[in-house]
Amino acid sequence: MSSAASLPLTNPASFTEVGYASSGFIIWGAALVFFMIPGLGLVYSGLSRGKNALTMVTVSMAAASIVTVQ
């Protein structure tokens, strides 16, 4: 007899319940990521030449907007 057959079955409906705490954690994490993106653009602009600094920030914000729409 295989070991998979002896595993206890769980009710899949019990995993669908989402509380306020888990939703708040996801929203908080998303907010931190959205604050991180302009900072990443500033780091990239610091690593590039001065005339390309605005372009690097724009590229980071454009990538963030594309990911948000997806």
Side-chain angles (χ1 to χ4, degrees), residues 35-48 52-61:
F35 281 126
M36 182 185 70
I37 291 169
L40 187 64
L42 291 174
V43 169
Y44 286 160
S45 67
L47 294 174
S48 66
N52 297 328
L54 184 61
T55 303
M56 295 306 291
V57 173
T58 306
V59 165
S60 290
M61 297 306 283

Side-chain angles (χ1 to χ4, degrees), residues 34 37 58-70:
F34 281 120
I37 291 169
T58 306
V59 165
S60 290
M61 297 306 283
S65 65
I66 290 171
V67 168
T68 302
V69 172
Q70 282 184 350

Side-chain angles (χ1 to χ4, degrees), residues 21-37:
S22 59
S23 298
F25 181 75
I26 296 297
I27 292 170
W28 176 251
L32 289 177
V33 168
F34 281 120
F35 281 126
M36 182 185 70
I37 291 169

Side-chain angles (χ1 to χ4, degrees), residues 4-12 14-15:
S6 63
L7 292 175
L9 298 175
T10 58
N11 185 5
S14 65
F15 293 110

